[in-house]
Amino acid sequence: MAAPYENGMRSSASSPGFGIHCTSFQKKTRSKLVSISGTKHSLQNGLLLISTGIPSLDYVLGGGLAVGTLLLVEEDKYNSFSFLFLKYFLAEGVVCGHNLFVASASKHPGDILQDLPAPIVDDVDKIEMQEEVKIDSKKLEEPMTIAWRYQNLPKMQTSVSSSLRFGHYYDVSKQMAPLMVQSAKCHKFFLPDEVCLVSSEMPSNMNAGYRQLLLSIQRVIQEEGFDGACPQNKQRNILRIGIHSLGSPLWGDDICCSDNPQHVHSFTKFLYGLRSLLRTSLSACIVTVPAHLIQGCFM
């Protein structure tokens, strides 16, 4: 086995222009995965996941909501559980430091953010906060009392850090602190305050409310650095999009109140356009839909 290797080395050395001998063997390294706060990679398919704010639902979804996907939630008759689900999703984004995009046609996004549930601080979080205070007060002035050969070894973390935790629990009876809500960067879309501009680039058979909402989401994704297809100089982050009661008459959709709606496929075309925007971006969206209003209608 040594003779062919030597012949190969001689032939490469004798050929002009080769000053370094290279082999076909390469060190196998792991691909560089995106590391963003409040995310984790799926062990099954490697997709980037975020928490919905409900750990039990994350388990049902296979670990969490995949980035670049859209999740539709059917509203109940009184819009209580679905709206609470949306607030859990937004509250998890505030705790993780993600950007938010809140859209609604009935409730102002500012009122929705003010009513987010407060995160539950458990014993692990309290112990971590106490340890951080002790470290700041002592400033590592005390020398190590163990053997000298272990002094230069890196310190190991013995407690679980809440910042590394995926998914949190929330107390519905308490509201999130206003300072915590204000620390999150939020983009708001309230349909009565928006001026619906007609664009020739969008389909003409989509109503003005859906068209303006889709343009607003597209602008935020492109301008704020959430477009995964384009190289970005900003620090990577996640955009959480929450749309409340999409498909109701307040959005200008007449599919539920007219036998001959003007834009019969406007709702589905908006969902297709939104899904195409999310697929190539670091975004995830949850939409609550009043299915009881549009049951039996052709979408």
Side-chain angles (χ1 to χ4, degrees):
M1 296 298 293
Y5 179 76
E6 293 177 358
N7 293 335
M9 293 292 289
R10 292 195 188 101
S11 61
S12 61
S14 60
S15 57
F18 290 93
I20 301 176
H21 300 288
C22 300
T23 62
S24 60
F25 298 99
Q26 296 180 357
K27 183 179 180 180
K28 185 177 180 180
T29 58
R30 295 182 179 181
S31 59
K32 295 183 179 179
L33 300 178
V34 180
S35 178
I36 304 176
S37 174
T39 64
K40 72 175 183 179
H41 289 273
S42 173
L43 299 178
Q44 299 178 354
N45 47 30
L47 292 177
L48 191 64
L49 304 177
I50 62 173
S51 175
T52 59
I54 307 175
S56 57
L57 181 61
D58 294 338
Y59 176 79
V60 175
L61 295 177
L65 181 63
V67 174
T69 59
L70 169 66
L71 180 62
L72 297 180
V73 180
E74 181 180 353
E75 292 183 0
D76 51 289
K77 187 175 181 180
Y78 299 101
N79 191 19
S80 56
F81 296 102
S82 58
F83 186 55
L84 183 61
F85 179 88
L86 181 63
K87 290 192 291 185
Y88 274 125
F89 177 72
L90 298 175
E92 182 68 19
V94 175
V95 174
C96 296
H98 297 165
N99 290 21
L100 304 179
F101 185 98
V102 185
S104 177
S106 57
K107 299 182 179 181
H108 195 277
D111 298 335
I112 297 177
L113 294 175
Q114 292 179 0
D115 197 27
L116 296 181
I120 297 177
V121 181
D122 53 11
D123 295 336
V124 175
D125 297 328
K126 294 180 181 178
I127 293 174
E128 181 189 3
M129 293 173 63
Q130 293 176 359
E131 290 182 352
E132 291 180 355
V133 172
K134 291 180 180 179
I135 292 175
D136 293 337
S137 60
K138 293 182 180 180
K139 295 182 180 180
L140 302 178
E141 293 180 356
E142 297 180 359
M144 300 179 66
T145 57
I146 60 177
W148 62 270
R149 56 183 173 181
Y150 298 111
Q151 291 182 359
N152 295 327
L153 294 178
K155 295 182 178 180
M156 302 299 294
Q157 185 177 4
T158 57
S159 62
V160 181
S161 176
S162 61
S163 61
L164 300 178
R165 181 181 303 175
F166 185 83
H168 300 80
Y169 293 92
Y170 298 89
D171 188 355
V172 187
S173 62
K174 299 180 181 179
Q175 293 183 352
M176 184 177 293
L179 293 178
M180 182 178 294
V181 177
Q182 294 175 4
S183 63
K185 186 175 183 180
C186 180
H187 306 272
K188 304 173 184 178
F189 183 93
F190 188 48
L191 185 61
D193 295 340
E194 296 290 332
V195 179
C196 298
L197 302 177
V198 180
S199 175
S200 58
E201 298 178 357
M202 304 303 297
S204 58
N205 54 353
M206 183 183 299
N207 67 41
Y210 293 160
R211 183 165 59 249
Q212 183 65 16
L213 177 59
L214 197 61
L215 288 173
S216 299
I217 296 175
Q218 183 181 16
R219 181 175 63 254
V220 172
I221 291 177
Q222 294 178 352
E223 294 180 358
E224 299 297 330
F226 298 105
D227 192 356
C230 301
Q232 303 291 336
N233 297 326
K234 301 180 181 180
Q235 184 179 1
R236 294 288 184 174
N237 200 359
I238 299 297
L239 176 64
R240 289 175 176 253
I241 304 174
I243 304 177
H244 175 248
S245 195
L246 188 71
S248 66
L250 295 177
W251 284 98
D253 199 339
D254 56 350
I255 190 174
C256 59
C257 55
S258 176
D259 295 334
N260 297 317
Q262 184 178 1
H263 303 295
V264 62
H265 299 295
S266 182
F267 181 79
T268 52
K269 284 184 176 297
F270 171 80
L271 293 180
Y272 278 118
L274 178 60
R275 192 175 67 171
S276 64
L277 290 177
L278 299 176
R279 184 170 296 178
T280 58
S281 65
L282 292 174
S283 308
C285 180
I286 286 184
V287 181
T288 62
V289 180
H292 60 280
L293 296 178
I294 57 179
Q295 286 180 351
C297 300
F298 295 95
M299 294 188 299

